[in-house]
Amino acid sequence: MIFQDPMQLFCNKTFFGTIDQYFYETPWASGRLIVQDEDQHDFYMRVTSFRDWAESSHESHTNLSREESDKQYYQEMARRGLSEEDLDRCDEMDWTIVTSDGQEHETRSLSFYVYGYIQWRW
């Protein structure tokens, strides 16, 4: 189902962007995001991409030693211009969506994707 009423996305109580389309398929919601700051959006996209890589890499590289796996993990993190501090900071972000009726909803597992789409859990 697609909803057309725009919603606002806030990060730590600061306006981040407008969600102008919203789709819901239990348990995930997704929407098209018009961002306020492209650099911030790019940062969160790199974090999402890295976490997706780490999850799929962990499942497909179970035959690697712990040292090899860690080395590959940190090389990939550096390739994307990220640090452990960046990942920790993202985990501490407080994301809130304000619907068109003014209600605030905390979001969980917020991920950023190309073409301006985000995905989250209510």
Side-chain angles (χ1 to χ4, degrees):
M1 177 176 277
I2 300 175
F3 302 92
Q4 296 296 330
D5 287 345
M7 299 184 288
Q8 295 180 327
L9 177 64
F10 290 84
C11 180
N12 292 340
K13 308 233 184 280
T14 301
F15 179 71
F16 191 85
T18 300
I19 302 167
D20 73 345
Q21 289 185 4
Y22 162 63
F23 313 84
Y24 189 73
E25 294 181 28
T26 305
W28 294 101
S30 56
R32 187 173 65 180
L33 178 66
I34 302 167
V35 295
Q36 183 79 7
D37 182 333
E38 289 290 336
D39 290 336
Q40 282 185 324
H41 182 254
D42 177 62
F43 171 76
Y44 290 111
M45 280 184 41
R46 286 185 287 127
V47 169
T48 296
S49 177
F50 174 74
R51 287 185 168 155
D52 288 348
W53 173 85
E55 185 176 315
S56 67
S57 175
H58 175 72
E59 293 171 0
S60 63
H61 293 107
T62 55
N63 58 337
L64 294 178
S65 72
R66 176 77 170 163
E67 290 173 351
E68 291 172 325
S69 179
D70 286 351
K71 180 180 176 182
Q72 192 177 53
Y73 178 89
Y74 288 108
Q75 284 176 338
E76 188 65 23
M77 184 186 299
R79 186 181 76 76
R80 295 169 192 267
L82 298 170
S83 67
E84 285 289 340
E85 292 79 21
D86 291 331
L87 299 179
D88 291 344
R89 186 179 64 179
C90 286
D91 289 339
E92 296 171 4
M93 294 292 124
D94 176 29
W95 294 98
T96 304
I97 294 176
V98 178
T99 54
S100 60
D101 61 3
Q103 291 188 30
E104 294 184 9
H105 304 272
E106 181 181 320
T107 64
R108 295 176 192 81
S109 303
L110 184 67
S111 298
F112 292 79
Y113 296 99
V114 294
Y115 307 116
Y117 283 88
I118 59 174
Q119 187 176 55
W120 70 92
R121 295 178 85 155
W122 289 109

PDB file of all heavy atoms in Angstrom, residues 70-97:
ATOM      1  N   ASP A  70      38.683 -10.393  10.387  1.00  0.00           N
ATOM      2  CA  ASP A  70      38.835  -9.049  10.953  1.00  0.00           C
ATOM      3  C   ASP A  70      39.568  -8.129   9.985  1.00  0.00           C
ATOM      4  O   ASP A  70      39.187  -6.964   9.805  1.00  0.00           O
ATOM      5  CB  ASP A  70      39.579  -9.094  12.283  1.00  0.00           C
ATOM      6  CG  ASP A  70      38.735  -9.627  13.423  1.00  0.00           C
ATOM      7  OD1 ASP A  70      37.500  -9.805  13.231  1.00  0.00           O
ATOM      8  OD2 ASP A  70      39.306  -9.888  14.503  1.00  0.00           O
ATOM      9  N   LYS A  71      40.611  -8.639   9.367  1.00  0.00           N
ATOM     10  CA  LYS A  71      41.391  -7.832   8.412  1.00  0.00           C
ATOM     11  C   LYS A  71      40.498  -7.386   7.250  1.00  0.00           C
ATOM     12  O   LYS A  71      40.503  -6.210   6.871  1.00  0.00           O
ATOM     13  CB  LYS A  71      42.575  -8.637   7.886  1.00  0.00           C
ATOM     14  CG  LYS A  71      43.429  -7.879   6.908  1.00  0.00           C
ATOM     15  CD  LYS A  71      44.590  -8.727   6.428  1.00  0.00           C
ATOM     16  CE  LYS A  71      45.377  -7.987   5.365  1.00  0.00           C
ATOM     17  NZ  LYS A  71      46.486  -8.795   4.834  1.00  0.00           N
ATOM     18  N   GLN A  72      39.738  -8.306   6.720  1.00  0.00           N
ATOM     19  CA  GLN A  72      38.832  -7.987   5.618  1.00  0.00           C
ATOM     20  C   GLN A  72      37.772  -6.968   6.058  1.00  0.00           C
ATOM     21  O   GLN A  72      37.458  -6.023   5.331  1.00  0.00           O
ATOM     22  CB  GLN A  72      38.164  -9.275   5.124  1.00  0.00           C
ATOM     23  CG  GLN A  72      37.433  -9.130   3.835  1.00  0.00           C
ATOM     24  CD  GLN A  72      36.878 -10.459   3.383  1.00  0.00           C
ATOM     25  OE1 GLN A  72      36.171 -11.139   4.144  1.00  0.00           O
ATOM     26  NE2 GLN A  72      37.181 -10.838   2.160  1.00  0.00           N
ATOM     27  N   TYR A  73      37.258  -7.116   7.261  1.00  0.00           N
ATOM     28  CA  TYR A  73      36.254  -6.209   7.820  1.00  0.00           C
ATOM     29  C   TYR A  73      36.794  -4.778   7.891  1.00  0.00           C
ATOM     30  O   TYR A  73      36.151  -3.830   7.424  1.00  0.00           O
ATOM     31  CB  TYR A  73      35.867  -6.714   9.218  1.00  0.00           C
ATOM     32  CG  TYR A  73      34.872  -5.876   9.970  1.00  0.00           C
ATOM     33  CD1 TYR A  73      33.508  -6.093   9.836  1.00  0.00           C
ATOM     34  CD2 TYR A  73      35.294  -4.883  10.854  1.00  0.00           C
ATOM     35  CE1 TYR A  73      32.584  -5.340  10.549  1.00  0.00           C
ATOM     36  CE2 TYR A  73      34.377  -4.129  11.575  1.00  0.00           C
ATOM     37  CZ  TYR A  73      33.019  -4.366  11.410  1.00  0.00           C
ATOM     38  OH  TYR A  73      32.110  -3.621  12.114  1.00  0.00           O
ATOM     39  N   TYR A  74      37.980  -4.615   8.459  1.00  0.00           N
ATOM     40  CA  TYR A  74      38.545  -3.271   8.627  1.00  0.00           C
ATOM     41  C   TYR A  74      39.008  -2.676   7.297  1.00  0.00           C
ATOM     42  O   TYR A  74      38.931  -1.456   7.109  1.00  0.00           O
ATOM     43  CB  TYR A  74      39.663  -3.275   9.667  1.00  0.00           C
ATOM     44  CG  TYR A  74      39.098  -3.458  11.056  1.00  0.00           C
ATOM     45  CD1 TYR A  74      39.270  -4.644  11.749  1.00  0.00           C
ATOM     46  CD2 TYR A  74      38.347  -2.449  11.647  1.00  0.00           C
ATOM     47  CE1 TYR A  74      38.722  -4.810  13.015  1.00  0.00           C
ATOM     48  CE2 TYR A  74      37.795  -2.608  12.909  1.00  0.00           C
ATOM     49  CZ  TYR A  74      37.988  -3.791  13.583  1.00  0.00           C
ATOM     50  OH  TYR A  74      37.435  -3.954  14.835  1.00  0.00           O
ATOM     51  N   GLN A  75      39.456  -3.503   6.362  1.00  0.00           N
ATOM     52  CA  GLN A  75      39.807  -2.994   5.033  1.00  0.00           C
ATOM     53  C   GLN A  75      38.571  -2.455   4.319  1.00  0.00           C
ATOM     54  O   GLN A  75      38.625  -1.393   3.696  1.00  0.00           O
ATOM     55  CB  GLN A  75      40.460  -4.100   4.188  1.00  0.00           C
ATOM     56  CG  GLN A  75      41.877  -4.392   4.571  1.00  0.00           C
ATOM     57  CD  GLN A  75      42.465  -5.556   3.787  1.00  0.00           C
ATOM     58  OE1 GLN A  75      41.750  -6.405   3.254  1.00  0.00           O
ATOM     59  NE2 GLN A  75      43.785  -5.608   3.721  1.00  0.00           N
ATOM     60  N   GLU A  76      37.484  -3.191   4.413  1.00  0.00           N
ATOM     61  CA  GLU A  76      36.242  -2.752   3.768  1.00  0.00           C
ATOM     62  C   GLU A  76      35.707  -1.486   4.439  1.00  0.00           C
ATOM     63  O   GLU A  76      35.206  -0.582   3.755  1.00  0.00           O
ATOM     64  CB  GLU A  76      35.202  -3.868   3.810  1.00  0.00           C
ATOM     65  CG  GLU A  76      33.967  -3.582   3.006  1.00  0.00           C
ATOM     66  CD  GLU A  76      34.213  -3.471   1.510  1.00  0.00           C
ATOM     67  OE1 GLU A  76      35.217  -4.011   1.002  1.00  0.00           O
ATOM     68  OE2 GLU A  76      33.382  -2.820   0.835  1.00  0.00           O
ATOM     69  N   MET A  77      35.821  -1.411   5.735  1.00  0.00           N
ATOM     70  CA  MET A  77      35.384  -0.213   6.451  1.00  0.00           C
ATOM     71  C   MET A  77      36.201   0.996   5.977  1.00  0.00           C
ATOM     72  O   MET A  77      35.638   2.057   5.669  1.00  0.00           O
ATOM     73  CB  MET A  77      35.564  -0.406   7.958  1.00  0.00           C
ATOM     74  CG  MET A  77      35.042   0.748   8.791  1.00  0.00           C
ATOM     75  SD  MET A  77      35.434   0.576  10.550  1.00  0.00           S
ATOM     76  CE  MET A  77      34.605  -0.946  10.947  1.00  0.00           C
ATOM     77  N   ALA A  78      37.511   0.839   5.880  1.00  0.00           N
ATOM     78  CA  ALA A  78      38.385   1.929   5.441  1.00  0.00           C
ATOM     79  C   ALA A  78      38.112   2.302   3.984  1.00  0.00           C
ATOM     80  O   ALA A  78      38.122   3.484   3.627  1.00  0.00           O
ATOM     81  CB  ALA A  78      39.850   1.528   5.615  1.00  0.00           C
ATOM     82  N   ARG A  79      37.836   1.318   3.154  1.00  0.00           N
ATOM     83  CA  ARG A  79      37.540   1.586   1.746  1.00  0.00           C
ATOM     84  C   ARG A  79      36.320   2.501   1.611  1.00  0.00           C
ATOM     85  O   ARG A  79      36.238   3.320   0.704  1.00  0.00           O
ATOM     86  CB  ARG A  79      37.293   0.265   1.001  1.00  0.00           C
ATOM     87  CG  ARG A  79      37.109   0.432  -0.504  1.00  0.00           C
ATOM     88  CD  ARG A  79      36.844  -0.894  -1.186  1.00  0.00           C
ATOM     89  NE  ARG A  79      35.498  -1.369  -0.990  1.00  0.00           N
ATOM     90  CZ  ARG A  79      34.417  -0.897  -1.611  1.00  0.00           C
ATOM     91  NH1 ARG A  79      34.519   0.092  -2.448  1.00  0.00           N
ATOM     92  NH2 ARG A  79      33.230  -1.413  -1.379  1.00  0.00           N
ATOM     93  N   ARG A  80      35.392   2.378   2.528  1.00  0.00           N
ATOM     94  CA  ARG A  80      34.179   3.204   2.500  1.00  0.00           C
ATOM     95  C   ARG A  80      34.345   4.508   3.286  1.00  0.00           C
ATOM     96  O   ARG A  80      33.400   5.275   3.429  1.00  0.00           O
ATOM     97  CB  ARG A  80      33.003   2.409   3.057  1.00  0.00           C
ATOM     98  CG  ARG A  80      32.649   1.214   2.194  1.00  0.00           C
ATOM     99  CD  ARG A  80      31.673   0.303   2.897  1.00  0.00           C
ATOM    100  NE  ARG A  80      31.543  -0.969   2.233  1.00  0.00           N
ATOM    101  CZ  ARG A  80      30.635  -1.271   1.323  1.00  0.00           C
ATOM    102  NH1 ARG A  80      29.755  -0.383   0.960  1.00  0.00           N
ATOM    103  NH2 ARG A  80      30.602  -2.465   0.781  1.00  0.00           N
ATOM    104  N   GLY A  81      35.540   4.724   3.831  1.00  0.00           N
ATOM    105  CA  GLY A  81      35.805   5.952   4.562  1.00  0.00           C
ATOM    106  C   GLY A  81      35.123   6.004   5.912  1.00  0.00           C
ATOM    107  O   GLY A  81      34.752   7.078   6.387  1.00  0.00           O
ATOM    108  N   LEU A  82      34.984   4.842   6.553  1.00  0.00           N
ATOM    109  CA  LEU A  82      34.298   4.752   7.838  1.00  0.00           C
ATOM    110  C   LEU A  82      35.240   4.276   8.930  1.00  0.00           C
ATOM    111  O   LEU A  82      36.284   3.671   8.651  1.00  0.00           O
ATOM    112  CB  LEU A  82      33.113   3.782   7.737  1.00  0.00           C
ATOM    113  CG  LEU A  82      32.014   4.154   6.752  1.00  0.00           C
ATOM    114  CD1 LEU A  82      31.036   3.001   6.586  1.00  0.00           C
ATOM    115  CD2 LEU A  82      31.302   5.419   7.211  1.00  0.00           C
ATOM    116  N   SER A  83      34.837   4.521  10.166  1.00  0.00           N
ATOM    117  CA  SER A  83      35.587   4.063  11.333  1.00  0.00           C
ATOM    118  C   SER A  83      34.619   3.418  12.315  1.00  0.00           C
ATOM    119  O   SER A  83      33.396   3.549  12.180  1.00  0.00           O
ATOM    120  CB  SER A  83      36.292   5.247  12.000  1.00  0.00           C
ATOM    121  OG  SER A  83      35.320   6.125  12.563  1.00  0.00           O
ATOM    122  N   GLU A  84      35.171   2.758  13.328  1.00  0.00           N
ATOM    123  CA  GLU A  84      34.336   2.184  14.383  1.00  0.00           C
ATOM    124  C   GLU A  84      33.545   3.285  15.081  1.00  0.00           C
ATOM    125  O   GLU A  84      32.390   3.089  15.448  1.00  0.00           O
ATOM    126  CB  GLU A  84      35.197   1.437  15.411  1.00  0.00           C
ATOM    127  CG  GLU A  84      35.708   0.097  14.951  1.00  0.00           C
ATOM    128  CD  GLU A  84      34.625  -0.965  14.861  1.00  0.00           C
ATOM    129  OE1 GLU A  84      33.548  -0.827  15.478  1.00  0.00           O
ATOM    130  OE2 GLU A  84      34.865  -1.953  14.154  1.00  0.00           O
ATOM    131  N   GLU A  85      34.171   4.446  15.245  1.00  0.00           N
ATOM    132  CA  GLU A  85      33.492   5.576  15.878  1.00  0.00           C
ATOM    133  C   GLU A  85      32.271   6.007  15.066  1.00  0.00           C
ATOM    134  O   GLU A  85      31.235   6.359  15.640  1.00  0.00           O
ATOM    135  CB  GLU A  85      34.453   6.758  16.071  1.00  0.00           C
ATOM    136  CG  GLU A  85      35.547   6.507  17.092  1.00  0.00           C
ATOM    137  CD  GLU A  85      36.705   5.659  16.548  1.00  0.00           C
ATOM    138  OE1 GLU A  85      36.909   5.571  15.309  1.00  0.00           O
ATOM    139  OE2 GLU A  85      37.411   5.048  17.374  1.00  0.00           O
ATOM    140  N   ASP A  86      32.400   5.980  13.735  1.00  0.00           N
ATOM    141  CA  ASP A  86      31.264   6.319  12.872  1.00  0.00           C
ATOM    142  C   ASP A  86      30.110   5.347  13.093  1.00  0.00           C
ATOM    143  O   ASP A  86      28.952   5.760  13.208  1.00  0.00           O
ATOM    144  CB  ASP A  86      31.665   6.282  11.393  1.00  0.00           C
ATOM    145  CG  ASP A  86      32.614   7.393  11.005  1.00  0.00           C
ATOM    146  OD1 ASP A  86      32.561   8.482  11.623  1.00  0.00           O
ATOM    147  OD2 ASP A  86      33.406   7.171  10.071  1.00  0.00           O
ATOM    148  N   LEU A  87      30.420   4.075  13.147  1.00  0.00           N
ATOM    149  CA  LEU A  87      29.383   3.059  13.343  1.00  0.00           C
ATOM    150  C   LEU A  87      28.736   3.214  14.717  1.00  0.00           C
ATOM    151  O   LEU A  87      27.503   3.131  14.840  1.00  0.00           O
ATOM    152  CB  LEU A  87      29.951   1.655  13.173  1.00  0.00           C
ATOM    153  CG  LEU A  87      30.551   1.336  11.799  1.00  0.00           C
ATOM    154  CD1 LEU A  87      31.109  -0.078  11.782  1.00  0.00           C
ATOM    155  CD2 LEU A  87      29.552   1.537  10.684  1.00  0.00           C
ATOM    156  N   ASP A  88      29.561   3.445  15.738  1.00  0.00           N
ATOM    157  CA  ASP A  88      29.028   3.652  17.089  1.00  0.00           C
ATOM    158  C   ASP A  88      28.123   4.877  17.130  1.00  0.00           C
ATOM    159  O   ASP A  88      27.055   4.855  17.738  1.00  0.00           O
ATOM    160  CB  ASP A  88      30.159   3.812  18.104  1.00  0.00           C
ATOM    161  CG  ASP A  88      30.936   2.526  18.337  1.00  0.00           C
ATOM    162  OD1 ASP A  88      30.433   1.439  17.969  1.00  0.00           O
ATOM    163  OD2 ASP A  88      32.061   2.610  18.868  1.00  0.00           O
ATOM    164  N   ARG A  89      28.555   5.953  16.479  1.00  0.00           N
ATOM    165  CA  ARG A  89      27.760   7.184  16.464  1.00  0.00           C
ATOM    166  C   ARG A  89      26.409   6.946  15.802  1.00  0.00           C
ATOM    167  O   ARG A  89      25.377   7.429  16.272  1.00  0.00           O
ATOM    168  CB  ARG A  89      28.529   8.281  15.731  1.00  0.00           C
ATOM    169  CG  ARG A  89      27.856   9.628  15.775  1.00  0.00           C
ATOM    170  CD  ARG A  89      28.660  10.655  15.059  1.00  0.00           C
ATOM    171  NE  ARG A  89      28.730  10.274  13.650  1.00  0.00           N
ATOM    172  CZ  ARG A  89      29.343  10.973  12.720  1.00  0.00           C
ATOM    173  NH1 ARG A  89      29.966  12.074  13.036  1.00  0.00           N
ATOM    174  NH2 ARG A  89      29.351  10.578  11.473  1.00  0.00           N
ATOM    175  N   CYS A  90      26.397   6.172  14.731  1.00  0.00           N
ATOM    176  CA  CYS A  90      25.135   5.865  14.045  1.00  0.00           C
ATOM    177  C   CYS A  90      24.202   5.061  14.939  1.00  0.00           C
ATOM    178  O   CYS A  90      22.987   5.249  14.897  1.00  0.00           O
ATOM    179  CB  CYS A  90      25.396   5.117  12.752  1.00  0.00           C
ATOM    180  SG  CYS A  90      26.048   6.175  11.464  1.00  0.00           S
ATOM    181  N   ASP A  91      24.765   4.181  15.738  1.00  0.00           N
ATOM    182  CA  ASP A  91      23.945   3.378  16.645  1.00  0.00           C
ATOM    183  C   ASP A  91      23.277   4.235  17.713  1.00  0.00           C
ATOM    184  O   ASP A  91      22.246   3.853  18.258  1.00  0.00           O
ATOM    185  CB  ASP A  91      24.788   2.289  17.316  1.00  0.00           C
ATOM    186  CG  ASP A  91      25.193   1.201  16.340  1.00  0.00           C
ATOM    187  OD1 ASP A  91      24.531   1.053  15.290  1.00  0.00           O
ATOM    188  OD2 ASP A  91      26.181   0.503  16.637  1.00  0.00           O
ATOM    189  N   GLU A  92      23.862   5.386  18.006  1.00  0.00           N
ATOM    190  CA  GLU A  92      23.336   6.260  19.044  1.00  0.00           C
ATOM    191  C   GLU A  92      22.342   7.295  18.523  1.00  0.00           C
ATOM    192  O   GLU A  92      21.778   8.051  19.304  1.00  0.00           O
ATOM    193  CB  GLU A  92      24.496   6.968  19.750  1.00  0.00           C
ATOM    194  CG  GLU A  92      25.403   6.000  20.493  1.00  0.00           C
ATOM    195  CD  GLU A  92      26.670   6.652  21.005  1.00  0.00           C
ATOM    196  OE1 GLU A  92      26.818   7.887  20.860  1.00  0.00           O
ATOM    197  OE2 GLU A  92      27.520   5.927  21.532  1.00  0.00           O
ATOM    198  N   MET A  93      22.127   7.349  17.213  1.00  0.00           N
ATOM    199  CA  MET A  93      21.215   8.337  16.642  1.00  0.00           C
ATOM    200  C   MET A  93      19.777   8.048  17.054  1.00  0.00           C
ATOM    201  O   MET A  93      19.364   6.894  17.139  1.00  0.00           O
ATOM    202  CB  MET A  93      21.281   8.341  15.115  1.00  0.00           C
ATOM    203  CG  MET A  93      22.603   8.796  14.540  1.00  0.00           C
ATOM    204  SD  MET A  93      22.904  10.524  14.826  1.00  0.00           S
ATOM    205  CE  MET A  93      24.472  10.421  15.664  1.00  0.00           C
ATOM    206  N   ASP A  94      19.050   9.098  17.310  1.00  0.00           N
ATOM    207  CA  ASP A  94      17.640   9.012  17.676  1.00  0.00           C
ATOM    208  C   ASP A  94      16.834   9.471  16.461  1.00  0.00           C
ATOM    209  O   ASP A  94      16.773  10.671  16.158  1.00  0.00           O
ATOM    210  CB  ASP A  94      17.373   9.915  18.887  1.00  0.00           C
ATOM    211  CG  ASP A  94      15.914   9.964  19.277  1.00  0.00           C
ATOM    212  OD1 ASP A  94      15.196   8.977  19.045  1.00  0.00           O
ATOM    213  OD2 ASP A  94      15.485  11.008  19.817  1.00  0.00           O
ATOM    214  N   TRP A  95      16.242   8.520  15.738  1.00  0.00           N
ATOM    215  CA  TRP A  95      15.482   8.819  14.527  1.00  0.00           C
ATOM    216  C   TRP A  95      13.994   8.852  14.850  1.00  0.00           C
ATOM    217  O   TRP A  95      13.475   7.935  15.481  1.00  0.00           O
ATOM    218  CB  TRP A  95      15.749   7.769  13.453  1.00  0.00           C
ATOM    219  CG  TRP A  95      17.159   7.787  12.961  1.00  0.00           C
ATOM    220  CD1 TRP A  95      18.168   6.974  13.363  1.00  0.00           C
ATOM    221  CD2 TRP A  95      17.710   8.661  11.983  1.00  0.00           C
ATOM    222  NE1 TRP A  95      19.322   7.284  12.686  1.00  0.00           N
ATOM    223  CE2 TRP A  95      19.070   8.320  11.829  1.00  0.00           C
ATOM    224  CE3 TRP A  95      17.188   9.699  11.212  1.00  0.00           C
ATOM    225  CZ2 TRP A  95      19.912   8.984  10.950  1.00  0.00           C
ATOM    226  CZ3 TRP A  95      18.030  10.359  10.330  1.00  0.00           C
ATOM    227  CH2 TRP A  95      19.376   9.997  10.198  1.00  0.00           C
ATOM    228  N   THR A  96      13.336   9.901  14.386  1.00  0.00           N
ATOM    229  CA  THR A  96      11.909  10.076  14.628  1.00  0.00           C
ATOM    230  C   THR A  96      11.238  10.488  13.319  1.00  0.00           C
ATOM    231  O   THR A  96      11.770  11.314  12.577  1.00  0.00           O
ATOM    232  CB  THR A  96      11.669  11.183  15.680  1.00  0.00           C
ATOM    233  OG1 THR A  96      12.391  10.844  16.859  1.00  0.00           O
ATOM    234  CG2 THR A  96      10.195  11.322  16.009  1.00  0.00           C
ATOM    235  N   ILE A  97      10.081   9.907  13.066  1.00  0.00           N
ATOM    236  CA  ILE A  97       9.266  10.301  11.918  1.00  0.00           C
ATOM    237  C   ILE A  97       8.017  10.986  12.455  1.00  0.00           C
ATOM    238  O   ILE A  97       7.353  10.465  13.349  1.00  0.00           O
ATOM    239  CB  ILE A  97       8.896   9.098  11.042  1.00  0.00           C
ATOM    240  CG1 ILE A  97      10.163   8.531  10.389  1.00  0.00           C
ATOM    241  CG2 ILE A  97       7.862   9.488   9.992  1.00  0.00           C
ATOM    242  CD1 ILE A  97       9.943   7.285   9.566  1.00  0.00           C
TER     243      ILE A  97
END
